[in-house]
Amino acid sequence: MFGGVGICEMNRRVRRKCARGSQRLDLPNYPETEDADYLKLSEEGVVDWTRLPDDTVLQLFTHLNYRDRANLSSTCKSWRALGASPCLWQSLDLRAHKCDWGITDSLASRCSNLQKLRFRGADNADSLINLRAKNLKELSGDYCRKLTDSTLAVIVARHKFLESLQLGPDFCERVSSDAIVAIGFCCPNLRKLRLSGIRDVNGEAVNALAKHCANLSEIGFIDCLNIDEVALANVVSLRFLSVAGTTNVKWGSVGEHWSKLPNLKGLDVSRTDVVPNVVVRFFSSLKSLKILCAFNCSAIEEDTSVVIKSKSHGKMLLSFFNDTFKEISPLFPDTEKERDVFSDWRKESKKKDENLDEIMTWLEWILSHSLLRIAESNPHGLDQFWLSQGADLLLNLMQSSQEDVQERAATGLATFVVIDDENANVDVGRAEAVMKGGGIQLLLGLARSWKEGLQSEATKAIANLSVNPAFAKSVASGGGITILASLARSMNRLVAEEAAGGLWNLSVGEEHKGAIAEAGGIKALVDLIFKWPRGGDGVLERAAGALANLAADDKCSMEVANVGGINALVTLARKCKHEGVQEQAARALANLAAHGDSNTNNAAVGQETGALEALVLLIRSQHDGVRQEAAGALWNLSFDDRNREGIALAGGVEALVALAHSCSNASPSLQERAAGALWGLSVSEANSVAIGREGGVAPLISLARSQTEDVHETAAGALWNLAFNPGNALRIVEDGGVPALIHLCSSSLSKMARFMAALALAYMFDGRMDEYALVGSSSEGSLKSVGLERARRMALKHIETFVLTFADPQAFSAAALSSAPAPLAQVTDSARILEAGHLRCSGAEIGRFVTMLRNQSPVLKACAAFALLQFTVPGGRHAPHHVNLLQVSGAPRVLRAAAAAASAPMEAKIFARVVLRNLEHHQIESSV
């Protein structure tokens, strides 16, 4: 006898890039043919795609990622040759790939004309030289914490035509000034250098750049610990400089020396401790300066007079306390709306101003970097900034022609909306600002891009924002579910991971689950588990989490099972060591098993090889979330007879008793599931005895004292089951369970807890425990007898009080005076406990209540009749089962006797009559 486990759905907590414009291809010209013979169907009714003109195939290649290009190239010899065309290999993004020397060597033949390269991680950096891309001009790397001076020196030595080198935004902790010196010597054509997190940039390094890189127009020493400010003044070619986030800057000498930079147009001092007088000096001494960025500079924000002084010198100061759009609008005198400055600049392609383009291109990059860094640190007091302009800035930057700017803007959106990462809380106002600015369609558009970096970051933003129900609804209505389901099939693990996270968050909404299934999302999520069984904990956790939410829906749970989801999830529970994956896999199995008789998933999970053993093992995890979900899964699985015994054979009784002992200070959810799983297992008499023998009674009594309703309700259910056995009943008495059950019976706000506590007390004091209590010496037996009698009186008193609370005087008076159905129906309405209809009793348990109707105690007679009323009310889930048991056992005769007994209390008589009426009702229904 046990109730159902609540199906828990977990919101996904939050997580956290091409060249400008499209490349123009020099393609061969072919005469146009009106009839397009190459597209005519063959006799077999198919198109021979290999007959497409070469220029068409090349155009097709340009819209594919590298992996798909390689697959398409393998179709035939001619396409293999076209796939190696230099025009397709001017840019290469290796961030999603782990590239060893063998892979880079295989790519080398195609990279002779490579212009732009992006990579991720120091391991990949080591093998870059094997590409033999001697004409490389742009190199960008991230996750370079382990990148060393020697590796970087070799890279720049092999790529002497580099014009742009960017490493960040994460810190390059092992790169020193020695590597910067090497950059200066080896890359005389260098125009742009952006390095993040360098510990020390000394004068020798800066002077090497000044001496050997005559065209160096931009330097970004970002988030560095120390830089030589004086030496920077020697790089007279500089037009743009950023020292954002850099500490230990000697601002006293900066103003004097940097005034020697005659060409400086843009300066970024965001996130530094720069002081107002230095900024004012920049305005007055740097004649060429156009824009100064000072976001998140506390000293500047405290002295807003700096803004007035900047205007007096004709400079633009960008900070939190002024409007960025308004500040840069003077650059675009023809723009009608200040918020359109970025889009208007991009539209004016025919009359491009190189000077303006240079400024705006730098500004886009600086803004995307600063906004992302600020969003990541999430300082207090910026709500107004994000709502008034921050969100719009990020949305504008997402439309940049610079891929890395687009990526950072999308990542910024994914980050700034999150105000509590641990609890997956999204700021409603910020999410609404994104929606109001057209962010949904912009993000979905980027997610459709063939560029996997954009796909990944856009999908991450969609996932985070979808924690907000209104945003999730708009994403779904905009076709986002289909896009995410498609991206979940990506061969790029990072893309698939973020797509799975998006489906996880969307699947929280009941209204989206069917759409995810229709879009093939369930199959895609299951396939992800098999695709990355190792090394992809992030994608596995998100896939399992999404499947857990989807499994809460009956139809979706069947689809999960049909596409191999049970095997996939059990495999995760058995083999994966990552706690987040274990937790979500266990939760998914719990929800799959939570549908009772509506499908066969409960039995199917239990029959999957190793499922029960894996869940029992997870019960012993050190992680509360894992233990909680595993206990919830075992609770649900214990509804099935075979599963119940299988759990016991796998050591489930011992594991769950140990869990109940250890969770006294744990979360209520863990306590509830621990007690619930023991409740489910204790349905079996053998398991009930084993639980008592293993010491399970004491921790359940402790949980029954919990102030949390769900906890003490499940503990009461477990104690009710255990009390059926006389030996366990005595243990409950000896371990102090009677006061705990009496307290529940009289004080709990849960009718079910009060009901089951009363039934447990009735089992304990219906006489079957007495012979166990008298075992031992005569003196011990006498003492026990006295103690039990005192406990018995207390218990019966509170059972009586409990039953009487459901005996409506007016309804009882009417029923006592009439045998008509209406008064008895009124009694039923006032006495019924709706949740009790989910309880299922065995024949032995029903027989015990029938026997109790003959008990000498009037209180136990009334309690037994009240219990049988609950179990037989028409409409109850298991009422037909209980009625059949009563009919087979000959209970109607006992009920009639109880209803007619002169010495029986009124409650027992009336409740017995109601039970008889219930039996008649079911008999009539079954005959019809």
Side-chain angles (χ1 to χ4, degrees):
M1 60 194 112
F2 46 90
V5 68
I7 297 173
C8 54
E9 295 183 352
M10 178 177 290
N11 293 349
R12 180 57 209 133
R13 74 185 195 102
V14 178
R15 330 261 172 237
R16 318 245 180 277
K17 7 179 177 167
C18 349
R20 283 185 235 160
S22 57
Q23 295 285 348
R24 185 177 181 277
L25 303 180
D26 295 322
L27 302 173
N29 292 319
Y30 290 87
E32 296 182 1
T33 55
E34 293 183 3
D35 54 356
D37 289 338
Y38 51 83
L39 289 180
K40 288 185 177 179
L41 296 177
S42 66
E43 293 180 0
E44 292 78 17
V46 297
V47 173
D48 183 2
W49 295 103
T50 61
R51 297 177 59 195
L52 284 171
D54 288 354
D55 60 344
T56 303
V57 177
L58 283 171
Q59 288 288 353
L60 179 60
F61 273 122
T62 64
H63 293 281
L64 300 177
N65 59 43
Y66 310 110
R67 186 182 294 102
D68 291 340
R69 287 181 192 175
N71 290 336
L72 197 57
S73 295
S74 66
T75 305
C76 61
K77 288 183 178 180
S78 61
W79 283 19
R80 184 185 299 275
L82 289 171
S85 299
C87 63
L88 297 175
W89 294 91
Q90 295 180 358
S91 175
L92 185 59
D93 187 348
L94 297 176
R95 288 175 298 165
H97 311 279
K98 188 172 183 179
C99 298
D100 56 23
W101 284 72
I103 292 177
T104 52
D105 186 60
S106 67
L107 290 171
S109 62
R110 306 180 184 189
C111 295
S112 58
N113 291 319
L114 190 64
Q115 303 288 302
K116 181 177 180 179
L117 177 62
R118 305 184 74 179
F119 71 94
R120 173 166 289 161
D123 294 339
N124 287 348
D126 289 335
S127 58
L128 293 184
I129 58 174
N130 213 29
L131 290 173
R132 298 188 288 279
K134 295 181 179 180
N135 297 311
L136 191 66
K137 292 184 178 180
E138 296 183 41
L139 181 61
S140 175
D142 53 24
Y143 292 92
C144 293
R145 287 184 180 273
K146 296 182 180 180
L147 183 65
T148 62
D149 281 351
S150 57
T151 299
L152 184 54
V154 171
I155 290 174
V156 296
R158 297 291 183 90
H159 303 96
K160 296 186 176 182
F161 296 105
L162 274 180
E163 296 179 2
S164 173
L165 176 60
Q166 179 176 315
L167 299 176
D170 48 301
F171 295 176
C172 302
E173 297 174 344
R174 300 172 67 177
V175 173
S176 72
S177 291
D178 292 343
I180 300 176
V181 171
I183 293 170
F185 275 110
C186 297
C187 305
N189 296 335
L190 196 66
R191 296 175 177 272
K192 183 189 303 178
L193 179 64
R194 295 167 178 163
L195 301 176
S196 295
I198 309 295
R199 291 184 180 276
D200 183 59
V201 182
N202 61 30
E204 181 186 1
V206 177
N207 287 328
L209 295 173
K211 180 179 179 180
H212 300 287
C213 304
N215 298 317
L216 186 57
S217 61
E218 180 185 340
I219 286 180
F221 290 140
I222 301 169
D223 293 309
C224 296
L225 188 61
N226 294 291
I227 59 173
D228 191 316
E229 313 89 347
V230 176
L232 276 172
N234 297 328
V235 191
V236 294
S237 58
L238 274 184
R239 293 198 288 274
F240 301 98
L241 173 63
S242 174
V243 292
T246 294
T247 57
N248 301 320
V249 178
K250 300 178 183 64
W251 295 110
S253 61
V254 162
E256 176 186 350
H257 290 92
W258 289 4
S259 62
K260 300 174 184 178
L261 295 171
N263 302 307
L264 195 64
K265 298 178 182 178
L267 176 60
D268 179 22
V269 295
S270 299
R271 300 182 292 112
T272 68
D273 57 357
V274 65
V275 292
N277 65 310
V278 173
V279 171
V280 173
R281 183 164 184 174
F282 287 150
F283 294 152
S284 60
S285 62
L286 290 168
K287 303 301 181 182
S288 60
L289 187 67
K290 298 292 185 183
I291 297 179
L292 191 147
C293 297
F295 290 101
N296 204 21
C297 298
S298 57
I300 304 299
E301 291 160 13
E302 292 169 2
D303 185 359
T304 54
S305 66
V306 177
V307 178
I308 300 172
K309 295 173 182 177
S310 69
K311 294 185 183 303
S312 67
H313 290 90
K315 314 296 184 184
M316 289 171 274
L317 174 64
L318 307 186
S319 63
F320 285 149
F321 52 77
N322 56 18
D323 189 320
T324 298
F325 294 99
K326 185 176 181 179
E327 283 294 309
I328 63 177
S329 61
L331 294 172
F332 305 91
D334 296 332
T335 296
E336 296 181 1
K337 296 181 180 179
E338 293 171 347
R339 296 285 160 138
D340 295 339
V341 290
F342 287 97
S343 58
D344 285 354
W345 164 59
R346 298 184 190 113
K347 290 175 183 176
E348 294 176 356
S349 57
K350 294 181 181 179
K351 46 181 179 179
K352 282 289 185 180
D353 180 335
E354 290 186 4
N355 181 53
L356 181 60
D357 288 350
E358 188 179 41
I359 293 174
M360 292 300 292
T361 300
W362 175 80
L363 182 59
E364 280 191 333
W365 193 91
I366 290 297
L367 285 173
S368 67
H369 190 280
S370 292
L371 292 175
L372 175 55
R373 278 290 195 230
I374 292 164
E376 288 172 340
S377 62
N378 195 25
H380 294 292
L382 290 187
D383 282 349
Q384 187 56 39
F385 167 77
W386 289 119
L387 295 177
S388 63
Q389 60 172 311
D392 283 344
L393 283 170
L394 289 171
L395 293 173
N396 272 276
L397 294 172
M398 279 171 52
Q399 302 167 67
S400 170
S401 61
Q402 301 180 74
E403 186 179 347
D404 57 346
V405 170
Q406 288 181 297
E407 289 183 13
R408 282 200 181 89
T411 309
L413 279 179
T415 308
F416 96 102
V417 295
V418 182
I419 53 177
D420 182 0
D421 182 57
E422 190 63 32
N423 296 307
N425 288 334
V426 168
D427 186 278
V428 175
R430 297 181 185 182
E432 289 177 349
V434 174
M435 287 191 286
K436 184 179 178 181
I440 293 175
Q441 290 309 314
L442 285 173
L443 287 167
L444 292 177
L446 291 183
R448 293 188 187 99
S449 167
W450 64 268
K451 298 172 182 177
E452 294 176 334
L454 291 176
Q455 289 177 350
S456 176
E457 300 308 322
T459 306
K460 180 185 299 182
I462 293 170
N464 286 2
L465 284 157
S466 292
V467 172
N468 177 276
F471 193 95
K473 184 176 181 180
S474 297
V475 167
S477 63
I481 288 177
T482 301
I483 294 172
L484 291 173
S486 176
L487 292 176
R489 302 183 187 97
S490 172
M491 295 300 293
N492 183 319
R493 183 175 58 81
L494 299 177
V495 174
E497 180 176 319
E498 298 303 341
L503 292 173
W504 187 354
N505 285 348
L506 283 166
S507 63
V508 171
E510 293 295 326
E511 67 273 26
H512 304 316
K513 292 178 179 177
I516 293 173
E518 289 176 9
I522 293 177
K523 177 68 163 59
L525 290 164
V526 171
D527 288 345
L528 282 181
I529 295 174
F530 293 114
K531 191 183 295 183
W532 283 290
R534 296 179 184 86
D537 294 335
V539 69
L540 294 178
E541 180 180 7
R542 289 162 175 78
L547 289 172
N549 285 353
L550 291 163
D553 176 83
D554 184 50
K555 290 183 179 179
C556 290
S557 74
M558 296 174 67
E559 178 67 11
V560 172
N562 290 338
V563 299
I566 293 176
N567 176 259
L569 292 163
V570 170
T571 300
L572 289 182
R574 291 175 57 199
K575 297 182 177 181
C576 188
K577 303 304 180 184
H578 185 271
E579 292 170 340
V581 178
Q582 292 174 339
E583 180 179 354
Q584 296 311 317
R587 187 169 71 91
L589 291 171
N591 283 351
L592 280 170
H595 298 283
D597 300 329
S598 62
N599 62 46
T600 60
N601 285 347
N602 191 304
V605 171
Q607 292 167 16
E608 186 69 32
T609 302
L612 301 180
E613 292 82 358
L615 289 167
V616 169
L617 192 61
L618 293 181
I619 288 294
R620 302 185 185 278
S621 168
Q622 297 301 307
H623 187 273
D624 279 359
V626 175
R627 296 194 293 170
Q628 174 179 307
E629 300 304 339
L634 291 175
W635 184 4
N636 286 357
L637 288 164
S638 66
F639 280 56
D640 179 86
D641 293 342
R642 289 180 59 183
N643 288 344
R644 194 158 52 242
E645 304 314 315
I647 293 168
L649 288 173
V653 170
E654 295 84 355
L656 287 165
V657 169
L659 177 62
H661 271 290
S662 66
C663 70
S664 57
N665 295 319
S667 69
S669 295
L670 175 54
Q671 293 176 336
E672 178 195 6
R673 285 162 174 77
L678 287 171
W679 182 9
L681 286 183
S682 64
V683 169
S684 159
E685 178 72 9
N687 289 345
S688 177
V689 172
I691 291 169
R693 185 175 60 245
E694 289 294 326
V697 169
L700 285 169
I701 292 173
S702 177
L703 294 176
R705 296 191 179 102
S706 170
Q707 297 299 311
T708 304
E709 188 174 302
D710 290 337
V711 176
H712 67 235
E713 185 178 294
T714 49
L719 289 170
W720 170 35
N721 279 3
L722 292 177
F724 187 82
N725 176 270
N728 283 337
L730 183 57
R731 288 189 180 96
I732 294 173
V733 174
E734 292 175 340
D735 289 343
V738 174
L741 289 168
I742 286 174
H743 178 75
L744 284 186
C745 184
S746 59
S747 303
S748 175
L749 297 177
S750 164
K751 290 182 180 180
M752 277 289 285
R754 294 166 59 202
F755 178 50
M756 292 184 293
L759 296 187
L761 291 169
Y763 277 174
M764 291 161 61
F765 296 107
D766 67 352
R768 298 196 185 189
M769 183 181 64
D770 294 350
E771 58 185 272
Y772 279 79
L774 296 175
V775 175
S777 66
S778 59
S779 60
E780 290 175 347
S782 299
L783 289 173
K784 281 186 178 180
S785 179
V786 172
L788 285 175
E789 183 56 34
R790 187 182 304 113
R792 174 186 169 87
R793 287 197 301 270
M794 289 174 55
L796 293 180
K797 175 183 176 182
H798 286 87
I799 292 173
E800 181 180 22
T801 301
F802 166 75
V803 173
L804 287 175
T805 60
F806 292 89
D808 180 76
Q810 187 175 351
F812 263 57
S813 298
L817 298 173
S818 171
S819 59
L824 292 179
Q826 290 180 349
V827 171
T828 301
D829 291 341
S830 62
R832 185 178 185 182
I833 301 172
L834 288 173
E835 298 87 345
H838 294 286
L839 299 174
R840 181 183 176 94
C841 297
S842 66
E845 290 162 327
I846 290 295
R848 187 155 180 177
F849 286 117
V850 172
T851 302
M852 213 179 286
L853 288 171
R854 301 191 186 100
N855 197 286
Q856 294 181 354
S857 167
V859 173
L860 292 178
K861 287 181 180 179
C863 181
F866 178 76
L868 291 173
L869 180 155
Q870 304 299 333
F871 299 144
T872 58
V873 175
R877 180 177 176 184
H878 300 294
H881 164 73
H882 295 142
V883 168
N884 182 60
L885 292 176
L886 286 167
Q887 296 284 9
V888 170
S889 66
R893 178 173 54 84
V894 180
L895 286 163
R896 284 192 288 271
S903 60
M906 180 64 67
E907 307 85 60
K909 293 181 180 181
I910 301 298
F911 288 147
R913 286 174 56 193
V914 173
V915 176
L916 286 167
R917 175 178 171 273
N918 292 343
L919 296 181
E920 292 170 3
H921 174 86
H922 285 285
Q923 189 172 9
I924 294 171
E925 274 199 345
S926 60
S927 64
V928 172

Coordinates of all heavy atoms in Angstrom, one line a residue, residues 7-12 503-510 513 544-553 556 584 587-588 591:
I7 N 6.1 13.6 -9.8 CA 7.0 13.6 -10.9 C 7.7 15.0 -10.9 O 7.1 16.0 -11.0 CB 6.3 13.5 -12.2 CG1 5.6 12.1 -12.3 CG2 7.2 13.7 -13.4 CD1 4.7 11.9 -13.5
C8 N 9.0 14.9 -10.7 CA 9.8 16.2 -10.5 C 10.4 16.6 -11.9 O 10.9 15.8 -12.6 CB 10.8 16.1 -9.5 SG 12.0 14.7 -9.7
E9 N 10.2 17.9 -12.2 CA 10.8 18.4 -13.4 C 11.9 19.5 -13.0 O 11.6 20.3 -12.1 CB 9.8 19.1 -14.3 CG 8.8 18.1 -14.8 CD 7.8 18.7 -15.8 OE1 7.8 20.0 -15.9 OE2 7.0 18.0 -16.4
M10 N 13.1 19.4 -13.5 CA 14.1 20.3 -13.1 C 14.4 21.3 -14.2 O 14.6 21.0 -15.4 CB 15.4 19.5 -12.9 CG 16.6 20.4 -12.5 SD 18.0 19.4 -12.1 CE 17.5 18.6 -10.6
N11 N 14.3 22.6 -13.8 CA 14.7 23.6 -14.8 C 16.2 23.5 -15.0 O 17.0 23.3 -14.1 CB 14.4 25.0 -14.2 CG 12.9 25.2 -14.1 OD1 12.1 24.4 -14.6 ND2 12.5 26.2 -13.4
R12 N 16.6 23.8 -16.2 CA 18.0 23.7 -16.5 C 18.7 25.0 -16.0 O 18.3 26.1 -16.3 CB 18.3 23.5 -17.9 CG 19.8 23.4 -18.2 CD 20.5 22.3 -17.3 NE 21.8 22.5 -17.0 CZ 22.3 22.4 -15.8 NH1 21.6 22.1 -14.8 NH2 23.6 22.6 -15.6
L503 N 16.7 22.3 -25.3 CA 15.6 21.4 -25.2 C 15.3 21.0 -23.7 O 14.1 20.8 -23.4 CB 15.9 20.1 -26.0 CG 16.0 20.3 -27.5 CD1 16.5 19.0 -28.2 CD2 14.7 20.7 -28.1
W504 N 16.3 21.0 -22.9 CA 16.1 20.8 -21.5 C 15.2 21.8 -20.9 O 14.2 21.6 -20.2 CB 17.4 20.7 -20.8 CG 17.4 20.3 -19.3 CD1 16.3 20.1 -18.5 CD2 18.5 20.0 -18.5 NE1 16.7 19.7 -17.3 CE2 18.0 19.7 -17.2 CE3 19.9 20.1 -18.7 CZ2 18.9 19.4 -16.1 CZ3 20.7 19.8 -17.6 CH2 20.2 19.4 -16.3
N505 N 15.6 23.1 -21.1 CA 14.8 24.2 -20.6 C 13.4 24.3 -21.2 O 12.4 24.6 -20.5 CB 15.6 25.5 -20.8 CG 16.7 25.6 -19.8 OD1 16.9 24.9 -18.9 ND2 17.6 26.6 -20.1
L506 N 13.3 24.1 -22.5 CA 12.0 24.2 -23.1 C 11.1 23.0 -22.6 O 9.9 23.2 -22.5 CB 12.1 24.1 -24.6 CG 12.6 25.4 -25.3 CD1 13.0 25.1 -26.7 CD2 11.5 26.5 -25.3
S507 N 11.7 21.9 -22.3 CA 10.9 20.7 -21.9 C 10.3 20.9 -20.6 O 9.5 20.0 -20.1 CB 11.7 19.4 -22.0 OG 12.8 19.5 -21.1
V508 N 10.7 21.9 -19.8 CA 10.0 22.2 -18.5 C 8.5 22.5 -18.8 O 7.7 22.1 -18.0 CB 10.7 23.3 -17.8 CG1 9.9 23.8 -16.6 CG2 12.1 22.9 -17.4
G509 N 8.2 23.2 -19.9 CA 6.9 23.6 -20.2 C 6.1 22.4 -20.7 O 6.5 21.8 -21.7
E510 N 5.0 22.1 -20.1 CA 4.2 21.0 -20.6 C 3.7 21.2 -22.0 O 3.6 20.2 -22.8 CB 2.9 20.8 -19.7 CG 3.2 20.4 -18.3 CD 3.8 19.0 -18.2 OE1 3.5 18.1 -19.1 OE2 4.7 18.7 -17.3
K513 N 6.4 19.8 -24.8 CA 6.9 18.5 -24.8 C 6.5 17.7 -26.1 O 7.3 17.0 -26.7 CB 6.5 17.7 -23.6 CG 7.1 18.2 -22.3 CD 6.7 17.5 -21.0 CE 7.4 18.1 -19.8 NZ 7.0 17.5 -18.6
A544 N 20.3 14.0 -20.7 CA 19.6 13.2 -19.7 C 18.6 14.1 -19.0 O 17.5 13.7 -18.7 CB 20.6 12.6 -18.7
G545 N 18.9 15.3 -18.7 CA 18.0 16.3 -18.1 C 16.8 16.5 -18.9 O 15.7 16.6 -18.4
A546 N 17.0 16.7 -20.2 CA 15.9 16.9 -21.1 C 15.0 15.7 -21.2 O 13.7 15.8 -21.2 CB 16.4 17.3 -22.5
L547 N 15.6 14.5 -21.3 CA 14.8 13.3 -21.3 C 14.1 13.1 -20.0 O 12.9 12.6 -20.0 CB 15.7 12.1 -21.6 CG 16.3 12.0 -23.0 CD1 17.4 10.9 -23.1 CD2 15.2 11.8 -24.0
A548 N 14.6 13.5 -18.9 CA 13.9 13.4 -17.6 C 12.7 14.3 -17.6 O 11.6 13.8 -17.2 CB 14.9 13.9 -16.5
N549 N 12.8 15.5 -18.1 CA 11.6 16.3 -18.2 C 10.5 15.7 -19.2 O 9.3 15.7 -18.9 CB 11.9 17.7 -18.7 CG 12.6 18.6 -17.6 OD1 12.7 18.1 -16.5 ND2 13.1 19.7 -18.0
L550 N 11.0 15.3 -20.3 CA 10.1 14.7 -21.3 C 9.4 13.4 -20.8 O 8.3 13.1 -21.1 CB 10.8 14.4 -22.6 CG 11.3 15.7 -23.3 CD1 12.4 15.3 -24.4 CD2 10.1 16.3 -24.0
A551 N 10.2 12.6 -20.0 CA 9.6 11.4 -19.5 C 8.5 11.6 -18.5 O 7.8 10.6 -18.2 CB 10.8 10.5 -18.8
A552 N 8.4 12.8 -18.0 CA 7.2 13.1 -17.1 C 5.9 13.1 -17.8 O 4.9 13.0 -17.2 CB 7.5 14.4 -16.4
D553 N 5.9 13.2 -19.1 CA 4.7 13.1 -19.9 C 4.5 11.7 -20.4 O 5.4 11.0 -20.9 CB 4.9 14.1 -21.2 CG 3.7 14.0 -22.1 OD1 2.7 14.7 -21.8 OD2 3.8 13.2 -23.1
C556 N 5.3 11.1 -24.2 CA 6.7 11.2 -24.4 C 7.5 10.1 -23.8 O 8.6 9.7 -24.3 CB 7.2 12.6 -23.9 SG 6.6 14.0 -24.9
Q584 N 20.8 13.3 -13.3 CA 19.7 13.4 -14.4 C 19.3 12.1 -14.9 O 18.1 11.9 -15.3 CB 20.2 14.4 -15.5 CG 20.5 15.8 -15.0 CD 19.3 16.4 -14.2 OE1 18.2 16.2 -14.6 NE2 19.6 17.1 -13.1
R587 N 17.0 10.7 -12.4 CA 15.7 11.4 -12.5 C 14.9 11.0 -13.7 O 13.6 10.8 -13.6 CB 15.9 12.9 -12.5 CG 14.7 13.8 -12.4 CD 15.0 15.2 -12.1 NE 15.6 15.8 -13.3 CZ 14.8 16.5 -14.2 NH1 13.5 16.5 -14.1 NH2 15.4 17.0 -15.3
A588 N 15.5 10.8 -14.8 CA 14.8 10.3 -16.0 C 14.2 9.0 -15.8 O 13.1 8.7 -16.2 CB 15.8 10.3 -17.2
N591 N 11.1 9.3 -13.6 CA 10.0 9.8 -14.3 C 9.4 8.7 -15.3 O 8.2 8.6 -15.5 CB 10.3 11.1 -15.0 CG 10.3 12.2 -14.1 OD1 10.0 12.1 -12.9 ND2 10.8 13.4 -14.5

